[in-house]
Amino acid sequence: MRYELMLPHQIRNAIAGNWPVVLPLGVLEYHGEHMAVGMDTLAVIKTLELFEKEADIVILPPFYYGAASYAVAPPEGSGSVQVGGNQLAPFAEELFYGLLRVGFRNIHTIIHHQTENFAAGMPTDLAFKAAGRQAIFRLLEKERGEGWWGSDKMADYYAGHAEGDNVFNWVQVHPLMPAAMNGKYPFDHAGIGETSLMLALCPEAVDAAHFADNTSWYTEGASDASVEFGHKGVAMILEHLRTILSS
Ligand SMILES: [Zn+2]
C-alpha cells in the first residue's frame, strides 16, 4: 500500500501485522545522455511496486534528494543535484523518529546509489543509517527512560539478540542490489546494467536515440542494454527483497 493513500484503520492494521514500511531512497544524478537523472531512485520504486504485488508492505513516498555528489559530472546542464550527508542526517532522524512514533517497528530504507561497497558505506546511506540509530535511541529513552538497557527487563537482551530480536532492527538500510549479485549482474553507472534495468522497469527513462551522444567511459556498453537482460537483474533484486522484507 502507498502510505499517502492509507486510512488510519489500515495503518493500525499494518502496525499490528508488523508489515515492512519501506522508504525508496535515491538521488538525482547525471546518467549519461541516454538516461533519466532519476534512474537510481526509479529502480528502487519500480522494483518495490513489483514486490508489492506479492507481499503486504507499505511504500513511503520516495526521497530523491540524497547526496548525488559531483563525482560523475559537474551539475551545470547535467542535472545532478547534491545535498550533503550532513544535511540529510537531521532530516532522516526526524523522519524515522516520526515513523516510530506512528508505531512502525519494521522500517526499511532501500537505496541504489554508490552501493557497490555497501558495508563501508557512502554519504547518503551512512547518513540514513546513523539517523535510524539516533531515532531508535531517542524513542527508547522517551518511552522507557534513561537506563532502559541496564534495567532488569533487558536481562535477556543477548539471548534475544542471538535470535534476531533486536530493537536496532526497527530501522534498517539496504542496498537494492546485494553483494551476492556481484559477478552475476553488472554493478555500473549508466552502463549496460543500469540501462537494462531501466528498460525492464521504466522504459520511458531511456532514449535510444541519444546513445550516440555519450562520450564517457562509463556509458560504453549502454547501447548493448536490453529488456531481457534487465529482467534478469530484476528477478535477482526481487529475490533479495523477499529475504530482507518480511513481517
Ligand atoms: Zn545509477
Side-chain angles (χ1 to χ4, degrees), residues 27 29-31 35-41 43 112-114 188-191 194:
V27 295
E29 184 185 31
Y30 180 73
H31 272 77
M35 196 149 60
V37 293
M39 186 280 159
D40 291 351
T41 323
H112 177 68
H113 171 66
Q114 300 175 342
D188 62 27
H189 178 77
E194 286 198 339

Side-chain angles (χ1 to χ4, degrees), residues 57-166:
I57 59 169
V58 176
I59 303 177
L60 295 165
F63 184 80
Y64 275 91
Y65 305 100
S69 92
Y70 300 140
V72 170
E76 290 81 7
S78 81
S80 291
V81 176
Q82 155 70 11
V83 179
N86 292 344
Q87 282 67 44
L88 296 172
F91 160 79
E93 181 182 333
E94 293 307 313
L95 173 63
F96 290 139
Y97 187 69
L99 293 167
L100 288 166
R101 285 295 306 273
V102 171
F104 296 122
R105 296 291 183 269
N106 192 11
I107 302 164
H108 300 262
T109 298
I110 298 180
I111 177 168
H112 177 68
H113 171 66
Q114 300 175 342
T115 48
E116 61 272 24
N117 291 303
F118 193 74
M122 282 294 192
T124 309
D125 48 271
L126 288 172
F128 276 72
K129 253 187 227 180
R133 293 289 186 266
Q134 301 274 66
I136 292 167
F137 274 112
R138 203 167 128 196
L139 186 87
L140 287 166
E141 285 182 19
K142 172 185 161 63
E143 289 192 339
R144 303 185 188 178
E146 293 179 355
W148 62 271
W149 192 88
S151 78
D152 288 346
K153 283 185 195 147
M154 294 298 288
D156 61 351
Y157 174 77
Y158 288 111
H161 202 278
E163 287 166 21
D165 173 25
N166 179 351

Side-chain angles (χ1 to χ4, degrees), residues 38-56:
M39 186 280 159
D40 291 351
T41 323
L42 288 165
V44 178
I45 296 166
K46 298 293 181 181
T47 47
L48 282 172
E49 286 175 2
L50 292 175
F51 184 66
E52 188 190 19
K53 293 178 183 165
E54 62 176 79
D56 288 332

Side-chain angles (χ1 to χ4, degrees), residues 201-222:
L201 292 166
C202 185
E204 64 268 39
V206 179
D207 188 345
H210 288 273
F211 279 133
D213 300 336
N214 286 320
T215 55
S216 49
W217 66 268
Y218 52 84
T219 47
E220 272 175 30

